PDB file of all heavy atoms in Angstrom:
ATOM      1  N   LEU A 132      -6.189  15.208   7.446  1.00 89.00           N
ATOM      2  CA  LEU A 132      -4.939  14.730   6.841  1.00 89.00           C
ATOM      3  C   LEU A 132      -4.291  15.726   5.887  1.00 89.00           C
ATOM      4  O   LEU A 132      -3.092  15.639   5.631  1.00 89.00           O
ATOM      5  CB  LEU A 132      -5.184  13.397   6.136  1.00 89.00           C
ATOM      6  CG  LEU A 132      -5.630  12.266   7.065  1.00 89.00           C
ATOM      7  CD1 LEU A 132      -6.027  11.044   6.262  1.00 89.00           C
ATOM      8  CD2 LEU A 132      -4.550  11.933   8.085  1.00 89.00           C
ATOM      9  N   LEU A 133      -5.072  16.671   5.366  1.00 89.00           N
ATOM     10  CA  LEU A 133      -4.494  17.628   4.422  1.00 89.00           C
ATOM     11  C   LEU A 133      -4.195  18.996   5.013  1.00 89.00           C
ATOM     12  O   LEU A 133      -3.446  19.759   4.417  1.00 89.00           O
ATOM     13  CB  LEU A 133      -5.407  17.790   3.200  1.00 89.00           C
ATOM     14  CG  LEU A 133      -5.603  16.546   2.350  1.00 89.00           C
ATOM     15  CD1 LEU A 133      -6.408  16.885   1.109  1.00 89.00           C
ATOM     16  CD2 LEU A 133      -4.276  15.913   1.975  1.00 89.00           C
ATOM     17  N   SER A 134      -4.768  19.302   6.187  1.00 90.00           N
ATOM     18  CA  SER A 134      -4.465  20.618   6.747  1.00 90.00           C
ATOM     19  C   SER A 134      -4.371  20.637   8.273  1.00 90.00           C
ATOM     20  O   SER A 134      -3.417  21.181   8.817  1.00 90.00           O
ATOM     21  CB  SER A 134      -5.483  21.657   6.272  1.00 90.00           C
ATOM     22  OG  SER A 134      -6.763  21.375   6.776  1.00 90.00           O
ATOM     23  N   GLN A 135      -5.324  20.054   8.957  1.00 90.00           N
ATOM     24  CA  GLN A 135      -5.375  20.187  10.413  1.00 90.00           C
ATOM     25  C   GLN A 135      -4.131  19.643  11.107  1.00 90.00           C
ATOM     26  O   GLN A 135      -3.642  20.232  12.062  1.00 90.00           O
ATOM     27  CB  GLN A 135      -6.622  19.510  10.970  1.00 90.00           C
ATOM     28  CG  GLN A 135      -6.884  19.834  12.423  1.00 90.00           C
ATOM     29  CD  GLN A 135      -7.150  21.310  12.649  1.00 90.00           C
ATOM     30  OE1 GLN A 135      -7.920  21.920  11.920  1.00 90.00           O
ATOM     31  NE2 GLN A 135      -6.497  21.894  13.649  1.00 90.00           N
ATOM     32  N   VAL A 136      -3.599  18.528  10.616  1.00 89.00           N
ATOM     33  CA  VAL A 136      -2.415  17.949  11.243  1.00 89.00           C
ATOM     34  C   VAL A 136      -1.244  18.931  11.234  1.00 89.00           C
ATOM     35  O   VAL A 136      -0.466  18.992  12.182  1.00 89.00           O
ATOM     36  CB  VAL A 136      -2.027  16.598  10.591  1.00 89.00           C
ATOM     37  CG1 VAL A 136      -1.567  16.782   9.155  1.00 89.00           C
ATOM     38  CG2 VAL A 136      -0.944  15.905  11.394  1.00 89.00           C
ATOM     39  N   TYR A 137      -1.136  19.747  10.193  1.00 91.00           N
ATOM     40  CA  TYR A 137      -0.037  20.708  10.100  1.00 91.00           C
ATOM     41  C   TYR A 137      -0.215  21.838  11.117  1.00 91.00           C
ATOM     42  O   TYR A 137       0.763  22.377  11.630  1.00 91.00           O
ATOM     43  CB  TYR A 137       0.068  21.264   8.676  1.00 91.00           C
ATOM     44  CG  TYR A 137       0.390  20.176   7.670  1.00 91.00           C
ATOM     45  CD1 TYR A 137      -0.611  19.632   6.874  1.00 91.00           C
ATOM     46  CD2 TYR A 137       1.679  19.685   7.540  1.00 91.00           C
ATOM     47  CE1 TYR A 137      -0.331  18.624   5.966  1.00 91.00           C
ATOM     48  CE2 TYR A 137       1.975  18.672   6.636  1.00 91.00           C
ATOM     49  CZ  TYR A 137       0.962  18.150   5.854  1.00 91.00           C
ATOM     50  OH  TYR A 137       1.242  17.149   4.967  1.00 91.00           O
ATOM     51  N   ALA A 138      -1.464  22.193  11.407  1.00 93.00           N
ATOM     52  CA  ALA A 138      -1.733  23.223  12.412  1.00 93.00           C
ATOM     53  C   ALA A 138      -1.552  22.671  13.826  1.00 93.00           C
ATOM     54  O   ALA A 138      -1.019  23.359  14.700  1.00 93.00           O
ATOM     55  CB  ALA A 138      -3.153  23.756  12.242  1.00 93.00           C
ATOM     56  N   ASP A 139      -1.973  21.423  14.036  1.00 90.00           N
ATOM     57  CA  ASP A 139      -1.903  20.822  15.365  1.00 90.00           C
ATOM     58  C   ASP A 139      -0.504  20.347  15.737  1.00 90.00           C
ATOM     59  O   ASP A 139      -0.140  20.338  16.909  1.00 90.00           O
ATOM     60  CB  ASP A 139      -2.855  19.624  15.465  1.00 90.00           C
ATOM     61  CG  ASP A 139      -4.312  20.021  15.419  1.00 90.00           C
ATOM     62  OD1 ASP A 139      -4.621  21.230  15.543  1.00 90.00           O
ATOM     63  OD2 ASP A 139      -5.161  19.125  15.247  1.00 90.00           O
ATOM     64  N   ILE A 140       0.261  19.912  14.743  1.00 91.00           N
ATOM     65  CA  ILE A 140       1.588  19.337  14.992  1.00 91.00           C
ATOM     66  C   ILE A 140       2.606  20.075  14.111  1.00 91.00           C
ATOM     67  O   ILE A 140       2.822  19.699  12.959  1.00 91.00           O
ATOM     68  CB  ILE A 140       1.613  17.822  14.680  1.00 91.00           C
ATOM     69  CG1 ILE A 140       0.492  17.096  15.433  1.00 91.00           C
ATOM     70  CG2 ILE A 140       2.975  17.227  15.019  1.00 91.00           C
ATOM     71  CD1 ILE A 140       0.309  15.640  15.020  1.00 91.00           C
ATOM     72  N   PRO A 141       3.227  21.114  14.598  1.00 92.00           N
ATOM     73  CA  PRO A 141       4.141  21.904  13.764  1.00 92.00           C
ATOM     74  C   PRO A 141       5.461  21.200  13.424  1.00 92.00           C
ATOM     75  O   PRO A 141       6.095  21.544  12.437  1.00 92.00           O
ATOM     76  CB  PRO A 141       4.395  23.166  14.592  1.00 92.00           C
ATOM     77  CG  PRO A 141       4.021  22.820  15.979  1.00 92.00           C
ATOM     78  CD  PRO A 141       3.026  21.704  15.917  1.00 92.00           C
ATOM     79  N   ASN A 142       5.854  20.209  14.205  1.00 93.00           N
ATOM     80  CA  ASN A 142       7.126  19.523  13.981  1.00 93.00           C
ATOM     81  C   ASN A 142       6.983  18.456  12.881  1.00 93.00           C
ATOM     82  O   ASN A 142       6.197  17.517  13.040  1.00 93.00           O
ATOM     83  CB  ASN A 142       7.583  18.877  15.289  1.00 93.00           C
ATOM     84  CG  ASN A 142       8.899  18.152  15.144  1.00 93.00           C
ATOM     85  OD1 ASN A 142       8.972  17.135  14.469  1.00 93.00           O
ATOM     86  ND2 ASN A 142       9.929  18.660  15.796  1.00 93.00           N
ATOM     87  N   PRO A 143       7.734  18.566  11.785  1.00 87.00           N
ATOM     88  CA  PRO A 143       7.615  17.607  10.678  1.00 87.00           C
ATOM     89  C   PRO A 143       7.876  16.148  11.082  1.00 87.00           C
ATOM     90  O   PRO A 143       7.223  15.242  10.566  1.00 87.00           O
ATOM     91  CB  PRO A 143       8.662  18.079   9.660  1.00 87.00           C
ATOM     92  CG  PRO A 143       8.840  19.531   9.959  1.00 87.00           C
ATOM     93  CD  PRO A 143       8.658  19.659  11.447  1.00 87.00           C
ATOM     94  N   ASP A 144       8.811  15.917  12.003  1.00 85.00           N
ATOM     95  CA  ASP A 144       9.073  14.546  12.443  1.00 85.00           C
ATOM     96  C   ASP A 144       7.865  13.972  13.180  1.00 85.00           C
ATOM     97  O   ASP A 144       7.513  12.807  13.000  1.00 85.00           O
ATOM     98  CB  ASP A 144      10.318  14.478  13.332  1.00 85.00           C
ATOM     99  CG  ASP A 144      11.601  14.756  12.563  1.00 85.00           C
ATOM    100  OD1 ASP A 144      11.626  14.486  11.338  1.00 85.00           O
ATOM    101  OD2 ASP A 144      12.564  15.237  13.173  1.00 85.00           O
ATOM    102  N   ARG A 145       7.234  14.795  14.000  1.00 87.00           N
ATOM    103  CA  ARG A 145       6.030  14.343  14.718  1.00 87.00           C
ATOM    104  C   ARG A 145       4.853  14.185  13.763  1.00 87.00           C
ATOM    105  O   ARG A 145       4.001  13.331  13.961  1.00 87.00           O
ATOM    106  CB  ARG A 145       5.703  15.313  15.853  1.00 87.00           C
ATOM    107  CG  ARG A 145       6.817  15.252  16.926  1.00 87.00           C
ATOM    108  CD  ARG A 145       6.442  15.751  18.269  1.00 87.00           C
ATOM    109  NE  ARG A 145       5.228  15.102  18.760  1.00 87.00           N
ATOM    110  CZ  ARG A 145       4.280  15.735  19.447  1.00 87.00           C
ATOM    111  NH1 ARG A 145       4.415  17.009  19.724  1.00 87.00           N
ATOM    112  NH2 ARG A 145       3.224  15.101  19.864  1.00 87.00           N
ATOM    113  N   GLN A 146       4.801  15.017  12.724  1.00 87.00           N
ATOM    114  CA  GLN A 146       3.772  14.841  11.697  1.00 87.00           C
ATOM    115  C   GLN A 146       3.931  13.462  11.049  1.00 87.00           C
ATOM    116  O   GLN A 146       2.946  12.752  10.839  1.00 87.00           O
ATOM    117  CB  GLN A 146       3.882  15.932  10.625  1.00 87.00           C
ATOM    118  CG  GLN A 146       3.506  17.297  11.090  1.00 87.00           C
ATOM    119  CD  GLN A 146       3.922  18.385  10.117  1.00 87.00           C
ATOM    120  OE1 GLN A 146       4.500  18.126   9.064  1.00 87.00           O
ATOM    121  NE2 GLN A 146       3.637  19.635  10.478  1.00 87.00           N
ATOM    122  N   ASN A 147       5.175  13.088  10.743  1.00 83.00           N
ATOM    123  CA  ASN A 147       5.427  11.767  10.145  1.00 83.00           C
ATOM    124  C   ASN A 147       4.974  10.651  11.071  1.00 83.00           C
ATOM    125  O   ASN A 147       4.411   9.648  10.614  1.00 83.00           O
ATOM    126  CB  ASN A 147       6.906  11.600   9.796  1.00 83.00           C
ATOM    127  CG  ASN A 147       7.286  12.321   8.531  1.00 83.00           C
ATOM    128  OD1 ASN A 147       6.435  12.675   7.731  1.00 83.00           O
ATOM    129  ND2 ASN A 147       8.568  12.556   8.346  1.00 83.00           N
ATOM    130  N   VAL A 148       5.215  10.795  12.364  1.00 84.00           N
ATOM    131  CA  VAL A 148       4.761   9.793  13.334  1.00 84.00           C
ATOM    132  C   VAL A 148       3.239   9.674  13.269  1.00 84.00           C
ATOM    133  O   VAL A 148       2.691   8.576  13.235  1.00 84.00           O
ATOM    134  CB  VAL A 148       5.238  10.151  14.765  1.00 84.00           C
ATOM    135  CG1 VAL A 148       4.561   9.273  15.805  1.00 84.00           C
ATOM    136  CG2 VAL A 148       6.754  10.028  14.863  1.00 84.00           C
ATOM    137  N   PHE A 149       2.559  10.806  13.218  1.00 86.00           N
ATOM    138  CA  PHE A 149       1.102  10.807  13.131  1.00 86.00           C
ATOM    139  C   PHE A 149       0.635  10.138  11.835  1.00 86.00           C
ATOM    140  O   PHE A 149      -0.227   9.261  11.852  1.00 86.00           O
ATOM    141  CB  PHE A 149       0.553  12.234  13.217  1.00 86.00           C
ATOM    142  CG  PHE A 149      -0.931  12.305  13.068  1.00 86.00           C
ATOM    143  CD1 PHE A 149      -1.768  12.050  14.144  1.00 86.00           C
ATOM    144  CD2 PHE A 149      -1.508  12.608  11.846  1.00 86.00           C
ATOM    145  CE1 PHE A 149      -3.145  12.103  14.005  1.00 86.00           C
ATOM    146  CE2 PHE A 149      -2.881  12.658  11.693  1.00 86.00           C
ATOM    147  CZ  PHE A 149      -3.700  12.405  12.779  1.00 86.00           C
ATOM    148  N   PHE A 150       1.202  10.566  10.709  1.00 85.00           N
ATOM    149  CA  PHE A 150       0.791   9.995   9.424  1.00 85.00           C
ATOM    150  C   PHE A 150       1.054   8.487   9.378  1.00 85.00           C
ATOM    151  O   PHE A 150       0.245   7.723   8.859  1.00 85.00           O
ATOM    152  CB  PHE A 150       1.514  10.686   8.258  1.00 85.00           C
ATOM    153  CG  PHE A 150       1.002  12.067   7.962  1.00 85.00           C
ATOM    154  CD1 PHE A 150       1.874  13.135   7.868  1.00 85.00           C
ATOM    155  CD2 PHE A 150      -0.351  12.311   7.763  1.00 85.00           C
ATOM    156  CE1 PHE A 150       1.415  14.411   7.593  1.00 85.00           C
ATOM    157  CE2 PHE A 150      -0.827  13.585   7.490  1.00 85.00           C
ATOM    158  CZ  PHE A 150       0.066  14.642   7.396  1.00 85.00           C
ATOM    159  N   ASN A 151       2.196   8.052   9.914  1.00 82.00           N
ATOM    160  CA  ASN A 151       2.494   6.616   9.944  1.00 82.00           C
ATOM    161  C   ASN A 151       1.474   5.853  10.788  1.00 82.00           C
ATOM    162  O   ASN A 151       1.053   4.757  10.431  1.00 82.00           O
ATOM    163  CB  ASN A 151       3.906   6.365  10.457  1.00 82.00           C
ATOM    164  CG  ASN A 151       4.962   6.749   9.455  1.00 82.00           C
ATOM    165  OD1 ASN A 151       4.689   6.883   8.264  1.00 82.00           O
ATOM    166  ND2 ASN A 151       6.169   6.961   9.917  1.00 82.00           N
ATOM    167  N   ALA A 152       1.099   6.440  11.920  1.00 84.00           N
ATOM    168  CA  ALA A 152       0.109   5.786  12.789  1.00 84.00           C
ATOM    169  C   ALA A 152      -1.244   5.695  12.096  1.00 84.00           C
ATOM    170  O   ALA A 152      -1.923   4.666  12.159  1.00 84.00           O
ATOM    171  CB  ALA A 152      -0.013   6.534  14.112  1.00 84.00           C
ATOM    172  N   VAL A 153      -1.648   6.758  11.407  1.00 84.00           N
ATOM    173  CA  VAL A 153      -2.913   6.732  10.666  1.00 84.00           C
ATOM    174  C   VAL A 153      -2.834   5.711   9.532  1.00 84.00           C
ATOM    175  O   VAL A 153      -3.775   4.944   9.310  1.00 84.00           O
ATOM    176  CB  VAL A 153      -3.278   8.134  10.134  1.00 84.00           C
ATOM    177  CG1 VAL A 153      -4.451   8.069   9.169  1.00 84.00           C
ATOM    178  CG2 VAL A 153      -3.594   9.076  11.286  1.00 84.00           C
ATOM    179  N   ALA A 154      -1.713   5.679   8.824  1.00 81.00           N
ATOM    180  CA  ALA A 154      -1.547   4.704   7.741  1.00 81.00           C
ATOM    181  C   ALA A 154      -1.615   3.277   8.285  1.00 81.00           C
ATOM    182  O   ALA A 154      -2.241   2.400   7.682  1.00 81.00           O
ATOM    183  CB  ALA A 154      -0.225   4.939   7.012  1.00 81.00           C
ATOM    184  N   ARG A 155      -0.981   3.040   9.421  1.00 80.00           N
ATOM    185  CA  ARG A 155      -1.007   1.713  10.041  1.00 80.00           C
ATOM    186  C   ARG A 155      -2.447   1.332  10.409  1.00 80.00           C
ATOM    187  O   ARG A 155      -2.904   0.237  10.142  1.00 80.00           O
ATOM    188  CB  ARG A 155      -0.100   1.679  11.265  1.00 80.00           C
ATOM    189  CG  ARG A 155       0.039   0.330  11.918  1.00 80.00           C
ATOM    190  CD  ARG A 155       1.101   0.256  13.031  1.00 80.00           C
ATOM    191  NE  ARG A 155       1.420   1.486  13.729  1.00 80.00           N
ATOM    192  CZ  ARG A 155       2.442   2.294  13.431  1.00 80.00           C
ATOM    193  NH1 ARG A 155       3.253   2.009  12.447  1.00 80.00           N
ATOM    194  NH2 ARG A 155       2.660   3.398  14.131  1.00 80.00           N
ATOM    195  N   SER A 156      -3.172   2.276  11.005  1.00 81.00           N
ATOM    196  CA  SER A 156      -4.568   2.023  11.368  1.00 81.00           C
ATOM    197  C   SER A 156      -5.411   1.741  10.133  1.00 81.00           C
ATOM    198  O   SER A 156      -6.227   0.813  10.121  1.00 81.00           O
ATOM    199  CB  SER A 156      -5.157   3.232  12.103  1.00 81.00           C
ATOM    200  OG  SER A 156      -4.490   3.478  13.296  1.00 81.00           O
ATOM    201  N   ALA A 157      -5.218   2.535   9.088  1.00 78.00           N
ATOM    202  CA  ALA A 157      -5.989   2.344   7.861  1.00 78.00           C
ATOM    203  C   ALA A 157      -5.649   1.013   7.196  1.00 78.00           C
ATOM    204  O   ALA A 157      -6.537   0.322   6.684  1.00 78.00           O
ATOM    205  CB  ALA A 157      -5.740   3.497   6.890  1.00 78.00           C
ATOM    206  N   ALA A 158      -4.380   0.630   7.227  1.00 76.00           N
ATOM    207  CA  ALA A 158      -3.985  -0.650   6.638  1.00 76.00           C
ATOM    208  C   ALA A 158      -4.584  -1.818   7.421  1.00 76.00           C
ATOM    209  O   ALA A 158      -5.099  -2.777   6.837  1.00 76.00           O
ATOM    210  CB  ALA A 158      -2.467  -0.765   6.580  1.00 76.00           C
ATOM    211  N   LYS A 159      -4.533  -1.741   8.752  1.00 76.00           N
ATOM    212  CA  LYS A 159      -5.126  -2.803   9.585  1.00 76.00           C
ATOM    213  C   LYS A 159      -6.630  -2.868   9.377  1.00 76.00           C
ATOM    214  O   LYS A 159      -7.216  -3.942   9.291  1.00 76.00           O
ATOM    215  CB  LYS A 159      -4.808  -2.563  11.063  1.00 76.00           C
ATOM    216  CG  LYS A 159      -3.388  -2.870  11.434  1.00 76.00           C
ATOM    217  CD  LYS A 159      -3.137  -2.608  12.901  1.00 76.00           C
ATOM    218  CE  LYS A 159      -1.680  -2.855  13.249  1.00 76.00           C
ATOM    219  NZ  LYS A 159      -1.398  -2.544  14.641  1.00 76.00           N
ATOM    220  N   TRP A 160      -7.263  -1.705   9.287  1.00 73.00           N
ATOM    221  CA  TRP A 160      -8.693  -1.622   9.055  1.00 73.00           C
ATOM    222  C   TRP A 160      -9.040  -2.243   7.705  1.00 73.00           C
ATOM    223  O   TRP A 160      -9.996  -3.008   7.597  1.00 73.00           O
ATOM    224  CB  TRP A 160      -9.078  -0.147   9.142  1.00 73.00           C
ATOM    225  CG  TRP A 160     -10.415   0.233   8.605  1.00 73.00           C
ATOM    226  CD1 TRP A 160     -11.629   0.062   9.194  1.00 73.00           C
ATOM    227  CD2 TRP A 160     -10.666   0.886   7.372  1.00 73.00           C
ATOM    228  NE1 TRP A 160     -12.609   0.576   8.395  1.00 73.00           N
ATOM    229  CE2 TRP A 160     -12.034   1.092   7.267  1.00 73.00           C
ATOM    230  CE3 TRP A 160      -9.836   1.332   6.342  1.00 73.00           C
ATOM    231  CZ2 TRP A 160     -12.622   1.714   6.176  1.00 73.00           C
ATOM    232  CZ3 TRP A 160     -10.409   1.955   5.249  1.00 73.00           C
ATOM    233  CH2 TRP A 160     -11.790   2.132   5.175  1.00 73.00           C
ATOM    234  N   THR A 161      -8.249  -1.944   6.673  1.00 70.00           N
ATOM    235  CA  THR A 161      -8.458  -2.530   5.347  1.00 70.00           C
ATOM    236  C   THR A 161      -8.337  -4.052   5.417  1.00 70.00           C
ATOM    237  O   THR A 161      -9.155  -4.776   4.850  1.00 70.00           O
ATOM    238  CB  THR A 161      -7.441  -1.966   4.339  1.00 70.00           C
ATOM    239  OG1 THR A 161      -7.589  -0.547   4.294  1.00 70.00           O
ATOM    240  CG2 THR A 161      -7.644  -2.552   2.960  1.00 70.00           C
ATOM    241  N   LEU A 162      -7.347  -4.518   6.124  1.00 70.00           N
ATOM    242  CA  LEU A 162      -7.145  -5.958   6.303  1.00 70.00           C
ATOM    243  C   LEU A 162      -8.355  -6.586   6.973  1.00 70.00           C
ATOM    244  O   LEU A 162      -8.826  -7.646   6.564  1.00 70.00           O
ATOM    245  CB  LEU A 162      -5.879  -6.204   7.113  1.00 70.00           C
ATOM    246  CG  LEU A 162      -5.443  -7.643   7.313  1.00 70.00           C
ATOM    247  CD1 LEU A 162      -5.157  -8.314   5.995  1.00 70.00           C
ATOM    248  CD2 LEU A 162      -4.217  -7.687   8.195  1.00 70.00           C
TER     249      LEU A 162
END
Side-chain angles (χ1 to χ4, degrees):
L132 298 172
L133 297 186
S134 66
Q135 191 63 46
V136 67
Y137 297 101
D139 292 348
I140 307 171
N142 180 292
D144 291 333
R145 294 200 53 218
Q146 291 167 0
N147 282 342
V148 169
F149 177 82
F150 286 129
N151 287 341
V153 170
R155 185 172 26 264
S156 298
K159 286 180 183 177
W160 165 78
T161 302
L162 185 61

